[in-house]
C-alpha cells in the first residue's frame, strides 16, 4: 500500500492507470520470451565417418507440428512415437551438411526421448553419407557409406524453427580428432563452415566458448533484467525517502563496479561447481529462483530496503544465476578434457556481455539522472515493468504453466 500511495503522488490517478495498462500490455508481449528455445546438435567426425545426435525440445516440436493429439496438455511417448516419421522429415528438411563443399545425405535412426534440465527432448541419431556418388548410384543405394577420406571442411545450414522463433538457437558440439568445438546456429548465423584439417588450437576453442557466453547473456532476458534492476538506482542516492541524483559520476561508477564484481564472483562459483558436477539443483527450482530474484531486485527500487547494499543482493542471487548459466554447458555434454577451457571461455564471454550492457547503460543513465523522466518513468516505471514480467515468469516456472501462447 505504501508503494501504491507513493506512485499515486508521482503519477496521479489517470497516470497511474495508464502506467499499469502499459505494464500489462508489455508483459503480454514479451513474457513468453524468458526461456530461449534451444536444440543440441552433436556431430562427431571419426576418419571418414560423420555421425551425430540431435536433441530437440518436445515443447517446441509441439508448437511447430502439434504432438499433443488429445489436447490434454501432456505429451506422451505414444503421441511422440506415432509422429516419428513426421518428426524426422520436419527435422531433416531443416538441417543440411556439406563435406568439402559436397552435400551429404542424412539418415535419421530410431528416435528416443531424453530429459534435459528444462524438459523432455526427442533424440535423433544421425548418420551422414558424405561419399561422392553418381545420381544413379544414389538412387539405387542411398544409404550406403563407402570408405571415404576424412573431410577437410564441414558446412552446416541450420534453419530449425527459423520461421517460428527468431530467438531459437542450435548449440553445436563438433568433435574431431579429440578436439571439441562449439558454435551457435540460428536465424542470426544459419550457415557456418568449420575447418577440420588439423586440431583446433586452444585459442580457437577458447574463443568459441567466449562467443557462446556473450550470446547466452544477451538472450538471457531474466539475467539482463536482474542486472538492470540493480543498475537503475546506481545514478541516484536514497535520501529522505526518495531517490536523489548523484552529484558526480564517481559514486555511480564505483557502485556499479561493486555490483558487477559481486555478481561475477558469485555466479562464477556456482557455474564452476555445477559444470564440474559437484553441485546440482533441480532446474525448476533454479529457474523459479532466478525469476523471484528479478522480482525482488526490481521492487527494491520502488521501495528500497537494500538501497546502500545492492552489491550484497547481487552476490546472493548471483549464486543462483550461476546454476542457470551452467545449464548450457551441462546440456552440451562437453568432455572433461575441454571442460576447464569451456568454463574459462564461457565465463569471460558472460562478463564481456555484461560489461557491454553496463557500458551502454551507465553513461546514458548518468546524463538523464536529474530528469523527471528518468526518476519516474525509467527508474520507478521501468522497475515496475520488470517486476510484472518477472512475476509472470515466476508463476510459469513454479507451476509449469504456459500463460502465453508463444
Amino acid at each position: 500500500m505504501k508503494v501504491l500511495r507513493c506512485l499515486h503522488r508521482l503519477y496521479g490517478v489517470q497516470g497511474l492507470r495508464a502506467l499499469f495498462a502499459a505494464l500489462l500490455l508489455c508483459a503480454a508481449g514479451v513474457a513468453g520470451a524468458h526461456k530461449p528455445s534451444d536444440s543440441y546438435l552433436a556431430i562427431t567426425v571419426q576418419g571418414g565417418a560423420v555421425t551425430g545426435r540431435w536433441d530437440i525440445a518436445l515443447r517446441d516440436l509441439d508448437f511447430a507440428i502439434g504432438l499433443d493429439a488429445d489436447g490434454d496438455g501432456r505429451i506422451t511417448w505414444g503421441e511422440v512415437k506415432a509422429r516419428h516419421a513426421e518428426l524426422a522429415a520436419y527435422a531433416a528438411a531443416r538441417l543440411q551438411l556439406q563435406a568439402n563443399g559436397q552435400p551429404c545425405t542424412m539418415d535419421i535412426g530410431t528416435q528416443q526421448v531424453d530429459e534435459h534440465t528444462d524438459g523432455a527432448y526427442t533424440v535423433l541419431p544421425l548418420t551422414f553419407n558424405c561419399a561422392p556418388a553418381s545420381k544413379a548410384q544414389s538412387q539405387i543405394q542411398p544409404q550406403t557409406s563407402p570408405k571415404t577420406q576424412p573431410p577437410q571442411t564441414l558446412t552446416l545450414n541450420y534453419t530449425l524453427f527459423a520461421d517460428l522463433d527468431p530467438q531459437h538457437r542450435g548449440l553445436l558440439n563438433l568433435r574431431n580428432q579429440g578436439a571439441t568445438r562449439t558454435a551457435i546456429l540460428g536465424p542470426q548465423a544459419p550457415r557456418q563452415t568449420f575447418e577440420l584439417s588439423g586440431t583446433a588450437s586452444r585459442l580457437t576453442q577458447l574463443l568459441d566458448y567466449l562467443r557462446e557466453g556473450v550470446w547466452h547473456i544477451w538472450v538471457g532476458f531474466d539475467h539482463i533484467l536482474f542486472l538492470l534492476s540493480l543498475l537503475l538506482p546506481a545514478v541516484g542516492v536514497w535520501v529522505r525517502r526518495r531517490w536523489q541524483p548523484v552529484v558526480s559520476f564517481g559514486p555511480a561508477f564505483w557502485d556499479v563496479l561493486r555490483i558487477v564484481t559481486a555478481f561475477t564472483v558469485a555466479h562464477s562459483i556456482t557455474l564452476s561447481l555445477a559444470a564440474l558436477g559437484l553441485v546440482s539443483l533441480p532446474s525448476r527450482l533454479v529457474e523459479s529462483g532466478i525469476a523471484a530474484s528479478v522480482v525482488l531486485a526490481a521492487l527494491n527500487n520502488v521501495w528500497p530496503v537494500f538501497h546502500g547494499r545492492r552489491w550484497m543482493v547481487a552476490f546472493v542471487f548471483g549464486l543462483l544465476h550461476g546454476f542457470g548459466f551452467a545449464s548450457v554447458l551441462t546440456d552440451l555434454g562437453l568432455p572433461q578434457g575441454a571442460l576447464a577451457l569451456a568454463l574459462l571461455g564461457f565465463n569471460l564471454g558472460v562478463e564481456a556481455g555484461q560489461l557491454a550492457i553496463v557500458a551502454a547503460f551507465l553513461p546514458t543513465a548518468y546524463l538523464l539522472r536529474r530528469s523527471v523522466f528518468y526518476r519516474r518513468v525509467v527508474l520507478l516505471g521501468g522497475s515496475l515493468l520488470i517486476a510484472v514480467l518477472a512475476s509472470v515468469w515466476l508463476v510459469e516456472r513454479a507451476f509449469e504453466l504456459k500463460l502465453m501462447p508463444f
Side-chain angles (χ1 to χ4, degrees):
M1 292 304 294
K2 292 180 178 179
V3 172
L4 290 177
R5 284 197 295 269
C6 176
L7 292 171
H8 179 272
R9 289 194 298 268
L10 288 172
Y11 294 98
V13 175
Q14 297 301 323
L16 192 57
R17 289 176 180 173
L19 174 62
F20 275 98
L23 293 177
L24 292 174
L25 285 174
C26 291
V30 299
H34 67 279
K35 182 63 176 72
S37 165
D38 298 331
S39 80
Y40 300 91
L41 178 62
I43 294 180
T44 300
V45 180
Q46 188 70 35
V50 182
T51 57
R53 164 178 166 153
W54 195 3
D55 292 22
I56 307 174
L58 291 181
R59 65 176 183 276
D60 294 333
L61 288 168
D62 180 45
F63 180 74
I65 63 176
L67 299 179
D68 187 10
D70 55 11
D72 64 351
R74 297 184 301 111
I75 303 174
T76 65
W77 168 244
E79 290 172 332
V80 175
K81 187 176 181 181
R83 305 290 292 279
H84 271 184
E86 188 175 351
L87 286 176
Y90 182 86
R94 289 158 177 81
L95 177 65
Q96 292 82 41
L97 185 142
Q98 294 180 356
N100 302 327
Q102 299 298 318
C104 304
T105 60
M106 182 172 67
D107 177 44
I108 298 180
T110 303
Q111 300 171 45
Q112 300 174 340
V113 172
D114 193 12
E115 286 289 332
H116 284 245
T117 57
D118 59 341
Y121 282 61
T122 186
V123 179
L124 309 179
L126 308 176
T127 302
F128 297 95
N129 177 14
C130 300
S134 67
K135 182 177 180 181
Q137 289 175 327
S138 64
Q139 290 176 341
I140 296 172
Q141 292 180 314
Q143 303 302 331
T144 58
S145 300
K147 186 176 181 179
T148 61
Q149 295 298 318
Q152 301 301 303
T153 64
L154 280 184
T155 299
L156 284 166
N157 189 45
Y158 180 99
T159 57
L160 183 67
F161 305 130
D163 56 335
L164 301 175
D165 185 357
Q167 295 180 17
H168 173 79
R169 59 185 184 173
L171 302 181
L172 173 67
N173 182 326
L174 176 60
R175 301 182 184 183
N176 175 55
Q177 299 184 28
T180 299
R181 295 192 62 181
T182 64
I184 298 174
L185 307 167
Q188 294 78 15
R191 184 179 179 88
Q192 298 187 39
T193 299
F194 303 89
E195 295 289 338
L196 302 181
S197 54
T199 303
S201 68
R202 295 185 70 83
L203 177 60
T204 299
Q205 296 181 60
L206 180 69
L207 293 176
D208 286 340
Y209 297 123
L210 188 147
R211 284 193 296 269
E212 189 165 329
V214 171
W215 181 254
H216 183 69
I217 192 69
W218 283 354
V219 300
F221 295 109
D222 43 10
H223 303 301
I224 291 177
L225 292 185
F226 176 73
L227 184 61
L228 285 178
S229 296
L230 296 175
L231 295 179
L232 282 171
V235 293
V237 289
W238 185 251
V239 179
R240 296 177 182 176
R241 304 174 68 87
R242 62 182 300 180
W243 290 108
Q244 300 286 354
V246 293
V247 177
S248 62
F249 185 76
F253 174 81
W254 290 112
D255 189 27
V256 168
L257 181 62
R258 286 193 295 268
I259 289 170
V260 173
T261 301
F263 187 62
T264 296
V265 171
H267 74 63
S268 297
I269 292 172
T270 47
L271 168 60
S272 301
L273 291 176
L276 293 172
L278 300 177
V279 179
S280 178
L281 292 179
S283 175
R284 183 176 175 182
L285 175 62
V286 171
E287 295 299 328
S288 299
I290 290 174
S293 73
V294 180
V295 175
L296 294 175
L299 291 180
N300 186 63
N301 297 339
V302 181
W303 196 256
V305 176
F306 296 96
H307 51 84
R309 300 181 295 276
R310 289 193 306 283
W311 67 269
M312 296 174 61
V313 176
F315 183 84
V316 172
F317 286 121
L319 295 171
L320 194 58
H321 283 246
F323 287 106
F325 292 139
S327 65
V328 174
L329 291 178
T330 301
D331 282 335
L332 275 173
L334 295 173
Q336 291 299 314
L339 197 51
L341 195 65
L343 283 171
L344 175 60
F346 191 81
N347 246 327
L348 290 175
V350 169
E351 303 324 312
Q354 288 180 171
L355 291 177
I357 294 171
V358 172
F361 168 83
L362 187 57
T364 304
Y366 180 75
L367 292 175
L368 297 175
R369 72 193 189 283
R370 296 185 185 278
S371 67
V372 175
F373 171 78
Y374 185 84
R375 295 198 305 272
R376 296 187 179 182
V377 178
V378 178
L379 176 55
L380 293 178
S383 296
L384 280 172
L385 173 59
I386 293 172
V388 170
L389 295 178
S391 296
V392 176
W393 300 341
L394 177 58
V395 172
E396 285 187 333
R397 298 175 184 187
F399 299 100
E400 296 185 334
L401 300 175
K402 189 65 175 175
L403 301 178
M404 300 296 159
F406 40 80

